[in-house]
């Protein structure tokens, strides 16, 4: 190769210089969100997990996508039942198994991983520095991503958490989707506008398994929020803010319920009033979750 070729090659390499991954907006969002959730008391110890579908072009500004650190098998799934084909090649940033939300902000490279979905597991492109792996709930997350992407091609975030009042409400309120959603809608005026599609509910099931993933994804065909009875909640949305906001709004409503459930109810938001609100915003909502003929 001549001198000019060398120069051209050097220029090309230089133009491909990678940016610092810790400054990437998606890493910062994961740090901020996990820290928020921890401080709200929703994600004690290793509770909770987040997966966030990334734009390949954006990730390529920070990582060499041809460099795979190692391949991580998908734990707890029956491959015959779990077809990951629609997500092959997609890149996600995911919280690590056994990792604490409390610690993500101080050490994202140990507590988070960026992975690409492959046939035999996930390819680690960055993170899990201590040899760690993706959250044990990754199969449930991936199944939810597939279900939500089918409903809304712009869906990118799946979030699982153990919000305190939502959980408390599970013990004292009937776990019926219509009744539970209706009670939440009654607790703050804007609830019906934030989650007009309502809240899906699964009975207590063993977490980390294929079957809870399949059941959650099935609910996610219709709902962006799914309660795992006496465990926590799943939320899905286009952005981190939207998804966090959904869970935050349910949790606020559940808090008001828990503050008032043992007291005589004197006032309430009427179903007719809820209809006025959704009509004002022009929203589609679960009419069958209201008691209006
Ligand atoms: O990752 O919350 O459901 C810890 C959990 C499991
Ligand atoms: Zn959990």
């Amino acid at each position: 190769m001549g001198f000019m070729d060398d120069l051209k090659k050097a220029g090309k390499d230089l133009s491909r210089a990678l940016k610092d991954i810790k400054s990437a907006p998606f890493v910062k969002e994961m740090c901020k969100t996990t820290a928020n959730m921890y401080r709200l008391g929703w994600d004690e110890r290793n509770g909770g997990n987040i997966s966030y579908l990334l734009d390949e072009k954006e990730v390529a500004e920070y990582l060499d996508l041809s460099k795979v650190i190692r391949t991580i098998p998908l734990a707890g799934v029956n491959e015959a039942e779990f077809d990951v084909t629609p997500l092959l090649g997609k890149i996600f940033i995911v919280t690590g198994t056994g990792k604490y939300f409390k610690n993500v902000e101080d050490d994202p490279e140990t507590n988070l991983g960026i992975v690409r979905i492959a046939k035999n597991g996930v390819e680690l492109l960055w993170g899990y520095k201590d040899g760690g792996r993706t959250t044990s709930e990754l199969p449930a997350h991936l199944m939810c991503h597939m279900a939500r992407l089918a409903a809304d091609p712009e869906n990118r975030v799946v979030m699982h958490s153990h919000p305190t009042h939502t959980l408390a409400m599970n013990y004292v309120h009937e776990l019926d989707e219509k009744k539970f959603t209706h009670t939440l809608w009654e607790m703050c005026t804007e609830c019906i506008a934030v989650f007009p599609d309502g809240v899906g509910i699964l009975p207590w099931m063993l977490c980390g398994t294929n079957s809870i993933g399949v059941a959650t994804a099935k609910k996610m065909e219709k709902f962006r929020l799914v309660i795992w009875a006496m465990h926590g909640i799943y939320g899905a949305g286009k952005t981190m803010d939207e998804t966090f906001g959904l869970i935050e709004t349910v949790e606020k409503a559940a808090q008001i319920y828990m503050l008032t459930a043992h007291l005589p109810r004197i006032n309430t938001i009427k179903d007719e009033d809820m209809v006025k609100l959704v009509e004002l915003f022009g929203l589609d909502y679960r009419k069958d979750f209201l008691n209006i003929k």
Side-chain angles (χ1 to χ4, degrees):
M1 264 199 314
F3 173 70
M4 282 312 287
D5 288 328
D6 281 350
L7 211 64
K8 262 192 222 148
K9 185 168 179 292
K12 216 171 162 193
D13 285 348
L14 216 63
S15 71
R16 278 203 323 223
L18 297 171
K19 297 195 246 174
D20 175 15
I21 183 83
K22 297 215 176 91
S23 70
F26 48 84
V27 172
K28 285 190 173 168
E29 270 186 292
M30 290 292 280
C31 289
K32 269 193 173 171
T33 308
T34 48
N36 252 336
M37 293 167 85
Y38 171 69
R39 272 191 287 274
L40 286 163
W42 301 353
D43 295 279
E44 72 292 342
R45 202 174 176 272
N46 64 321
N49 29 72
I50 304 177
S51 59
Y52 183 7
L53 175 58
L54 303 177
D55 174 44
E56 186 182 305
K57 278 207 199 85
E58 194 182 353
V59 185
E61 294 174 24
Y62 301 91
L63 298 175
D64 178 348
L65 300 183
S66 68
K67 284 201 183 124
V68 174
I69 302 169
R70 56 196 154 91
T71 299
I72 304 170
L74 283 174
V77 291
N78 172 352
E79 276 178 41
E81 277 178 52
F82 181 39
D83 179 15
V84 83
T85 312
L87 295 179
L88 281 181
K90 296 253 190 281
I91 299 175
F92 291 86
I93 186 163
V94 186
T95 50
T97 182
K99 299 293 191 262
Y100 293 20
F101 274 23
K102 173 172 80 70
N103 299 333
V104 174
E105 201 170 27
D106 283 340
D107 188 0
E109 197 170 352
T110 301
N111 295 290
L112 302 174
I114 295 179
V115 297
R116 182 170 49 211
I117 311 302
K119 277 219 173 77
N120 54 342
V122 298
E123 299 171 337
L124 182 64
L125 302 171
W126 175 82
Y128 306 141
K129 201 174 66 180
D130 61 350
R133 287 177 287 117
T134 42
T135 167
S136 57
E137 303 295 356
L138 189 66
H141 277 243
L142 295 181
M143 291 181 213
C144 288
H145 276 285
M146 291 191 271
R148 285 314 305 165
L149 283 168
D152 175 1
E154 284 178 32
N155 192 85
R156 293 173 72 189
V157 180
V158 171
M159 192 181 277
H160 166 64
S161 180
H162 305 161
T164 315
H165 301 89
T166 307
L167 219 52
M169 190 170 158
N170 281 202
Y171 291 87
V172 298
H173 193 286
E174 262 181 89
L175 294 173
D176 168 84
E177 285 168 352
K178 172 179 171 165
K179 290 181 186 162
F180 201 94
T181 299
H182 189 268
T183 300
L184 292 173
W185 282 351
E186 281 181 313
M187 293 299 118
C188 321
T189 293
E190 297 198 338
C191 274
I192 192 167
V194 175
F195 49 97
D197 38 352
V199 174
I201 303 181
L202 288 180
W204 188 93
M205 288 176 79
L206 188 60
C207 54
T209 60
N210 218 59
S211 21
I212 200 166
V214 171
T216 312
K218 184 93 196 105
K219 290 284 179 198
M220 284 250 171
E221 289 170 8
K222 287 207 204 96
F223 298 102
R224 289 171 301 156
L225 288 157
V226 179
I227 285 176
W228 282 6
M230 289 154 290
H231 179 143
I233 192 163
Y234 261 72
K238 295 182 187 36
T239 64
M240 199 68 88
D241 267 355
E242 183 193 43
T243 315
F244 180 85
L246 282 170
I247 296 179
E248 185 182 30
T249 308
V250 166
E251 172 60 2
K252 173 67 176 273
Q255 181 172 15
I256 295 170
Y257 177 77
M258 293 310 294
L259 285 169
T260 56
H262 56 297
L263 301 171
R265 177 92 68 93
I266 296 174
N267 302 305
T268 198
I269 301 169
K270 296 189 200 74
D271 285 20
E272 296 80 42
D273 295 334
M274 294 189 210
V275 172
K276 285 181 202 154
L277 194 82
V278 282
E279 283 180 353
L280 177 69
F281 289 120
L283 299 170
D284 239 352
Y285 65 104
R286 285 295 298 254
K287 294 191 177 62
D288 57 324
F289 281 5
L290 289 178
N291 297 313
I292 293 179
K293 294 283 159 324

